[in-house]
Amino acid sequence: MSTPLQPVVALLVSAAVLLMGNGLLSVLLPVRAGLDAFSQLDIGIMGSAYFLGLVIGCLVSPGIIARVGHIRAFAAFAAVATVTPLCHAIFPLPPVWWLLRALTGLCFAGLFMGIESWLNAASDRENRGRVLAAYTMLNLTVTTVGMQLSGLFPARGFELFSLVAVLYSLAAVPVSLTRTVAPTPPRRSRLRLVWLIGVSPAAVLACLFTGMVNGAFWTLGPTYAHAAGLGFEEVALFLSAAVLGGALAQWPVGLSSDRLGRRPVAALVSAAAALAGLGLVVAAGSQGSRPVLYATAAAFGAMAFPIYALAVAHANDLVHRKRAVEVSSGLLLTFSVGAVVGPLAAAALMQWGGATMLFLLTAVAHGLIVLVMLVRAAQRPALPTARQEDYVAVPRTTPAVFELDPRAAPPEAATTPPEAAR
């Protein structure tokens, strides 16, 4: 284990176990809901409820952590999160599942805010970039591992829900036993959306549409895959292909944006993501085309998933480092609002026109990002490459993760009052 990660091993292990359980649950719930005759709209509301809970959790978690401390708050959030998959299995009713998904989102906001603020306190100015990179790769890889656990038991049984509950419970153990000193509570991010829109309307709109795409994909992607003829284990492979495609593309896309500019690359990958979405519409109607479905899903993930980080990078290029956390947190909120709306819109379209409407919606959303980037490029000259910060792949978890972003000013520099660069 490399030296920069030694103080945060316990936190990363807890995050890995949580993400493994969440990855499994993200595959299990939509498939099981379909087997239990939930409507498309029921499943869409379930996804929107999760992201709504996540937003609420980001707002209330700092106060809870401040009142009882990181370890007690983490144990409490983990205990409540453990109850939710078990209640899913006991009460297979749409309204109950909506409430449970909102509660899960709230708990996960608290869990990840605690981990991320602790990671930031345990790292320093020299190594926080490496800690963030390790945490980002953990998000991508362990979620994929969790999805593959879906093949251990049938979706109709109780066993997979129990396994999720076991993982959520075990996640509390490393944090509870760590010898790392708990940090001061995370600060509440200042939200100034009108100011943020003035800084970069392109980044705000890109995050909004990307949130719609991501929320719709994670909620209804399994439903689409099941309707395309894939079995339960194959649905997990379909989602894993998208995640791995996104993981492999992060750095090539980021390096390209460092050299060519954020908006041209964002427009290019958004156009490619729109084409990949249309490809998934066509592939769903081709029986026996599993390799095509997997390959197209990987292409979709490779193009769609880096757009959020590109938008965050573009907005951060336009402000001083002391504003970086404020900007990134506002964009995360914008993304989350889109993620609440996306599943509802996709579910309504799918109930009306079939499962392929999911990727028609994503194609339209990505097309709108292309239009936004081209319009803004015509209105505002490109920023000189020398003034750009380096691209950073950031997880879409809580505002606390942006404290780890090397583009942000360290705490001791945050009091310096230079004006934001426009």
Side-chain angles (χ1 to χ4, degrees):
M1 181 64 63
S2 58
T3 302
L5 297 182
Q6 283 178 355
V8 296
V9 169
L11 302 176
L12 293 176
V13 171
S14 286
V17 177
L18 278 173
L19 287 163
M20 199 178 300
N22 220 26
L24 172 55
L25 198 61
S26 70
V27 177
L28 175 60
L29 283 180
V31 173
R32 177 61 181 267
L35 294 174
D36 287 342
F38 286 28
S39 70
Q40 302 284 8
L41 190 58
D42 290 335
I43 299 173
I45 295 173
M46 191 169 64
S48 294
Y50 174 81
F51 288 104
L52 180 60
L54 203 65
V55 172
I56 295 171
C58 287
L59 297 175
V60 304
S61 294
I64 295 173
I65 296 172
R67 187 162 60 250
V68 301
H70 278 71
I71 294 176
R72 289 180 179 177
F74 191 96
F77 284 127
V80 176
T82 298
V83 171
T84 59
L86 300 176
C87 288
H88 277 295
I90 297 170
F91 305 107
L93 302 169
V96 176
W97 281 31
W98 302 340
L99 293 174
L100 290 172
R101 288 307 281 160
L103 183 59
T104 303
L106 190 154
C107 289
F108 265 77
L111 289 165
F112 283 114
M113 184 165 286
I115 289 173
E116 290 159 4
S117 63
W118 205 332
L119 288 174
N120 181 58
S123 57
D124 56 36
R125 187 174 182 179
E126 285 70 33
N127 66 24
R128 63 180 180 165
R130 281 171 285 175
V131 171
L132 177 62
Y135 182 61
T136 302
M137 291 307 299
L138 192 75
N139 267 268
L140 296 169
T141 55
V142 178
T143 299
T144 304
V145 173
M147 290 175 180
Q148 302 313 308
L149 296 178
S150 61
L152 295 177
F153 301 100
R156 279 199 178 277
F158 194 93
E159 296 89 347
L160 289 176
F161 290 104
S162 298
L163 180 56
V164 173
V166 168
L167 291 171
Y168 287 173
S169 295
L170 290 177
V173 176
V175 165
S176 299
L177 298 180
T178 183
R179 293 177 5 182
T180 305
V181 178
T184 56
R187 62 184 182 184
R188 283 187 173 89
S189 300
R190 185 181 178 191
L191 297 177
R192 298 168 59 198
L193 291 181
V194 174
W195 169 79
L196 184 56
I197 292 170
V199 169
S200 180
V204 172
L205 289 172
C207 285
L208 180 67
F209 292 134
T210 302
M212 291 180 64
V213 167
N214 277 257
F217 176 79
W218 288 115
T219 302
L220 294 157
T223 304
Y224 159 89
H226 194 64
L230 300 185
F232 186 34
E233 296 85 354
E234 293 171 319
V235 170
L237 289 174
F238 174 83
L239 295 175
S240 298
V243 173
L244 292 176
L248 293 174
Q250 284 283 350
W251 298 115
V253 169
L255 290 174
S256 299
S257 74
D258 286 341
R259 296 172 183 173
L260 304 176
R262 312 298 186 202
R263 291 180 303 200
V265 172
L268 182 62
V269 298
S270 298
L275 291 175
L278 295 176
L280 286 167
V281 172
V282 175
S286 304
Q287 295 298 322
S289 60
R290 283 163 172 73
V292 175
L293 274 171
Y294 298 149
T296 312
F300 176 83
M303 296 297 100
F305 292 169
I307 296 173
Y308 171 77
L310 283 173
V312 172
H314 174 58
N316 276 309
D317 288 341
L318 302 174
V319 299
H320 191 274
R321 282 191 167 204
K322 73 186 182 76
R323 301 289 190 196
V325 174
E326 193 174 333
V327 166
S328 299
S329 299
L331 291 177
L332 177 62
L333 176 63
T334 305
F335 173 92
S336 300
V337 170
V340 172
V341 174
L344 291 174
L349 288 172
M350 291 169 72
Q351 194 155 313
W352 168 68
T356 56
M357 295 300 292
L358 169 63
F359 288 103
L360 282 177
L361 175 66
T362 69
V364 170
H366 285 130
L368 289 173
I369 295 174
V370 175
L371 180 62
V372 167
M373 293 299 168
L374 293 178
V375 169
R376 289 301 295 167
Q379 293 176 341
R380 174 188 277 176
L383 193 70
T385 305
R387 286 184 56 194
Q388 288 184 174
E389 297 281 356
D390 291 336
Y391 173 90
V392 178
V394 286
R396 299 176 296 271
T397 47
T398 75
V401 77
F402 298 117
E403 301 282 353
L404 282 167
D405 194 331
R407 293 172 299 200
E412 63 270 19
T415 56
T416 309
E419 292 295 319
R422 296 295 179 92

Coordinates of all heavy atoms in Angstrom, one line a residue, residues 30 32 79 97 99 108 129 180 205 214 228 241 254 259 272 274 281 329 359 393 402 414 419:
P30 N -34.8 -2.7 -10.0 CA -35.7 -2.6 -11.2 C -36.1 -3.9 -11.7 O -37.3 -4.0 -12.2 CB -34.8 -1.8 -12.1 CG -33.7 -1.2 -11.3 CD -33.5 -2.1 -10.2
R32 N -36.5 -6.8 -10.0 CA -37.5 -7.4 -9.1 C -38.8 -6.6 -9.2 O -39.9 -7.2 -9.1 CB -37.0 -7.3 -7.7 CG -37.9 -7.9 -6.6 CD -38.3 -9.3 -6.8 NE -39.2 -9.7 -5.8 CZ -38.9 -10.3 -4.7 NH1 -37.6 -10.6 -4.4 NH2 -39.8 -10.7 -3.8
A79 N -26.9 1.8 9.9 CA -28.0 1.0 10.6 C -29.3 1.2 9.8 O -30.0 0.2 9.5 CB -28.1 1.3 12.0
W97 N -41.8 1.2 -1.5 CA -40.5 1.2 -2.2 C -40.0 2.6 -2.5 O -38.8 2.9 -2.4 CB -40.5 0.3 -3.4 CG -40.3 -1.1 -3.1 CD1 -40.8 -1.8 -2.0 CD2 -39.7 -2.1 -4.0 NE1 -40.5 -3.1 -2.1 CE2 -39.8 -3.4 -3.3 CE3 -39.1 -2.1 -5.2 CZ2 -39.3 -4.5 -3.8 CZ3 -38.6 -3.3 -5.8 CH2 -38.7 -4.5 -5.1
L99 N -40.7 5.3 -0.7 CA -40.2 5.9 0.6 C -38.9 5.2 1.0 O -38.0 5.9 1.5 CB -41.2 5.6 1.7 CG -42.6 6.4 1.6 CD1 -43.5 5.9 2.7 CD2 -42.3 7.9 1.6
F108 N -27.3 7.4 2.2 CA -26.0 7.4 1.5 C -25.4 8.8 1.4 O -24.2 8.9 1.4 CB -26.3 6.8 0.1 CG -26.0 5.3 0.1 CD1 -26.9 4.4 0.6 CD2 -24.8 4.8 -0.4 CE1 -26.6 3.1 0.6 CE2 -24.5 3.5 -0.4 CZ -25.4 2.6 0.1
G129 N -4.8 14.8 -4.4 CA -5.1 14.4 -5.8 C -5.0 12.9 -6.0 O -5.9 12.3 -6.6
T180 N -7.6 6.4 12.9 CA -7.5 7.7 12.3 C -8.4 8.7 13.1 O -9.5 8.4 13.4 CB -7.9 7.7 10.9 OG1 -7.1 6.8 10.2 CG2 -7.7 9.1 10.3
L205 N -26.3 23.9 -17.6 CA -27.2 23.1 -18.5 C -26.7 21.7 -18.8 O -27.5 20.7 -18.8 CB -27.5 23.9 -19.8 CG -28.3 25.1 -19.6 CD1 -28.4 25.9 -20.9 CD2 -29.8 24.8 -19.1
N214 N -28.3 10.3 -16.5 CA -27.8 9.4 -15.5 C -28.9 8.8 -14.6 O -28.9 7.6 -14.3 CB -26.7 10.0 -14.7 CG -25.3 10.0 -15.3 OD1 -24.5 9.2 -15.0 ND2 -25.1 10.9 -16.3
A228 N -35.1 -6.1 -23.6 CA -34.4 -6.5 -24.8 C -34.0 -7.9 -24.8 O -33.4 -8.4 -25.8 CB -33.1 -5.6 -24.9
A241 N -20.9 -3.2 -18.4 CA -20.2 -2.7 -19.6 C -20.2 -1.2 -19.7 O -19.2 -0.5 -20.1 CB -20.9 -3.3 -20.9
G254 N -10.5 13.4 -20.7 CA -10.0 14.5 -19.9 C -8.8 15.1 -20.5 O -8.6 16.3 -20.6
R259 N -6.2 19.7 -23.8 CA -5.5 20.2 -25.0 C -6.4 20.9 -26.0 O -6.0 21.9 -26.6 CB -4.8 19.0 -25.7 CG -3.8 18.3 -24.9 CD -3.3 17.0 -25.5 NE -2.3 16.3 -24.6 CZ -1.8 15.2 -24.8 NH1 -2.2 14.5 -25.9 NH2 -0.9 14.6 -24.0
A272 N -21.5 11.8 -29.7 CA -21.2 10.4 -29.8 C -22.1 9.6 -28.8 O -22.6 8.5 -29.1 CB -19.7 10.1 -29.4
A274 N -25.2 10.6 -28.0 CA -26.5 10.5 -28.6 C -26.5 9.4 -29.7 O -27.5 8.7 -29.8 CB -26.8 11.9 -29.3
V281 N -31.3 1.9 -29.2 CA -32.7 1.7 -29.7 C -32.8 0.7 -30.7 O -33.6 -0.2 -30.7 CB -33.2 3.1 -30.2 CG1 -34.5 2.9 -30.8 CG2 -33.2 4.1 -29.1
S329 N -20.0 22.2 -6.0 CA -21.2 21.8 -5.2 C -22.5 22.3 -5.9 O -23.5 21.5 -5.9 CB -21.1 22.4 -3.8 OG -19.9 21.9 -3.2
F359 N -33.6 5.4 -24.3 CA -32.5 5.9 -25.0 C -32.8 6.9 -26.1 O -31.9 7.7 -26.6 CB -31.6 4.7 -25.6 CG -30.9 4.0 -24.5 CD1 -31.4 2.8 -24.0 CD2 -29.8 4.5 -23.8 CE1 -30.8 2.1 -23.0 CE2 -29.2 3.9 -22.8 CZ -29.7 2.7 -22.3
A393 N -11.3 13.7 -12.8 CA -12.5 12.9 -12.7 C -13.0 12.8 -11.3 O -12.3 12.4 -10.4 CB -12.2 11.5 -13.2
F402 N -15.5 17.4 -3.2 CA -14.8 18.5 -3.9 C -13.7 19.1 -3.0 O -12.8 19.8 -3.6 CB -15.8 19.5 -4.4 CG -16.8 19.0 -5.3 CD1 -18.1 19.0 -5.0 CD2 -16.4 18.5 -6.5 CE1 -19.1 18.5 -5.9 CE2 -17.3 17.9 -7.4 CZ -18.7 17.9 -7.1
A414 N -7.8 29.6 1.4 CA -9.1 30.0 1.1 C -9.4 31.4 1.6 O -10.4 32.0 1.2 CB -10.1 29.0 1.8
E419 N -10.0 38.3 -6.8 CA -11.2 38.3 -7.5 C -11.3 37.1 -8.4 O -10.3 36.6 -8.9 CB -11.4 39.6 -8.3 CG -11.6 40.8 -7.5 CD -12.9 40.7 -6.7 OE1 -13.9 40.2 -7.2 OE2 -12.9 41.1 -5.5

